[in-house]
Amino acid sequence: GVGMGMTAPVSITAFPAEDGSFQQKVKVSLRIPSQFQDNPPCPTDESIKIEERQGMTIYSMQFGGYAKEADYVNYAAKLKAAVGSDAAYRKDFYLCNGYDPPMKPYGRRNEIWFVKE
């Protein structure tokens, strides 16, 4: 019952299949605004959970445009090539982040994050 507005980034946790495509299982995460961090309102929908995301070190690649699954998969492959085979990061998931509202047509920002182990 509390309006909190939209925050950025909107983060999708992707669990890649063997071929690099997304598995059906994804998790969408929204940042709770600062004024609600200490005491967030309780969700009324049971499918919504409040999680605390611990600090992390990431490998990141930024790209523009209206990102679709194919774009995230493509840039995840590019990031994988850029960090190389010796980099230690979580291979079981990666984060797809969007920073812009849907009606922003130009100058859009998206990122792929690999979480360093």
Side-chain angles (χ1 to χ4, degrees):
V2 177
M4 293 189 289
M6 195 64 194
T7 60
V10 172
S11 189
I12 298 171
T13 304
F15 302 91
E18 290 294 320
D19 64 358
S21 66
F22 288 8
Q23 292 185 28
Q24 291 292 25
K25 174 181 151 186
V26 295
K27 180 169 66 172
V28 178
S29 302
L30 305 171
R31 184 183 170 281
I32 295 175
S34 299
Q35 66 266 35
F36 297 103
Q37 291 277 321
D38 290 336
N39 189 23
C42 292
T44 56
D45 183 328
E46 291 181 13
S47 69
I48 297 173
K49 309 287 185 233
I50 295 177
E51 295 181 350
E52 184 171 340
R53 187 180 280 179
Q54 300 300 315
M56 63 182 108
T57 301
I58 60 166
Y59 296 102
S60 178
M61 180 172 279
Q62 182 178 328
F63 63 98
Y66 280 99
K68 299 176 192 69
E69 178 180 342
D71 299 310
Y72 286 120
V73 170
N74 179 37
Y75 279 94
K78 288 180 180 184
L79 181 56
K80 181 179 178 180
V83 299
S85 59
D86 293 335
Y89 61 91
R90 298 283 306 265
K91 309 281 192 303
D92 56 330
F93 73 92
Y94 59 87
L95 298 160
C96 307
N97 300 284
Y99 288 83
D100 303 295
M103 44 285 179
K104 182 178 179 183
Y106 303 105
R108 297 182 64 81
R109 176 180 172 181
N110 308 292
E111 294 176 349
I112 290 290
W113 293 357
F114 291 169
V115 178
K116 191 172 179 185
E117 289 186 325

